[in-house]
Amino acid sequence: MMQKLSQFMIAGVCLGLSHAALAAEPKLIGQHGDWTAYMFMENNNKVCYMVSQPKKAEGSYSKRGEVYALVTHRPAEKSKNVFSYIAGYPYKAGSEVTVLVNNQKFRLFTQDDSAWTPDEATDNKIAEAIKRGSSLVIKGVSGRGTETTDTFGLSGSGAAHKAISAECGVK
């Protein structure tokens, strides 16, 4: 289980750094296989997210921070299934991240240590693939040129998505 500090840091990233001070500490909704579901309040509105860490992290690096894949719902903003990825290192400027879920390939843009989809349609496709999938592999390149490959388990991802959707009233 992730430490409380890590939970709050994840919530801060989900919020965007400018809103982190306005968020309450995340409340555990449930542990579902490889994925954990959380909820927190932001400006009196629920934010729900599911998060996982890689089962295998590969690359020729000597030091790397925590790595997370997340799917977030913000119903007050009419936002759902937002996929984001925290690499544990700053990305190479202008680089892209490749996400492979069950032989479906997606490209994400990078900023600092995070990667995001370009649009809502891609978020929905990735979330749907994660819910029903068996494999998730994410590849990126650090600012120092180090290539990384992170492999996530998808056990429990459908149940975690169902839990965050129920908690936030997202259909």
Side-chain angles (χ1 to χ4, degrees):
M1 179 98 42
M2 294 174 219
Q3 300 172 338
K4 290 281 184 188
L5 180 58
S6 292
Q7 293 169 7
F8 190 72
M9 289 171 46
I10 293 168
V13 170
C14 290
L15 286 170
L17 297 176
S18 63
H19 300 294
L22 303 174
E25 185 164 336
K27 174 188 135 202
L28 177 68
I29 298 170
Q31 178 69 44
H32 304 276
D34 298 319
W35 291 79
T36 307
Y38 293 98
M39 183 279 296
F40 65 92
M41 297 300 292
E42 173 187 51
N43 298 325
N44 295 318
N45 297 310
K46 281 187 177 182
V47 176
C48 302
Y49 66 97
M50 55 189 265
V51 60
S52 186
Q53 291 189 282
K55 288 188 164 292
K56 185 162 97 174
E58 300 172 274
S60 297
Y61 48 84
S62 56
K63 184 176 153 186
R64 187 175 182 192
E66 297 292 320
V67 180
Y68 301 102
L70 303 100
V71 175
T72 306
H73 295 329
R74 281 193 171 76
E77 297 175 13
K78 296 183 179 18
S79 169
K80 68 178 184 176
N81 293 328
V82 174
F83 181 78
S84 58
Y85 181 67
I86 302 167
Y89 59 74
Y91 282 109
K92 180 178 178 180
S95 68
E96 288 186 332
V97 167
T98 302
V99 175
L100 187 62
V101 191
N102 307 320
N103 299 317
Q104 294 180 62
K105 191 174 186 178
F106 304 94
R107 298 230 183 261
L108 279 58
F109 70 90
T110 62
Q111 181 177 355
D112 302 322
D113 69 344
S114 298
W116 308 86
T117 67
D119 54 48
E120 184 179 329
T122 305
D123 279 328
N124 288 326
K125 287 177 187 173
I126 291 176
E128 201 57 38
I130 287 172
K131 285 184 346 188
R132 301 185 192 303
S134 58
S135 66
L136 170 63
V137 178
I138 302 176
K139 296 182 179 194
V141 180
S142 77
R144 294 182 179 189
T146 303
E147 295 180 11
T148 59
T149 301
D150 299 317
T151 304
F152 292 79
L154 294 182
S155 166
S157 58
H161 191 273
K162 187 175 181 179
I164 65 171
S165 297
E167 181 69 32
C168 268
V170 172
K171 294 182 182 185

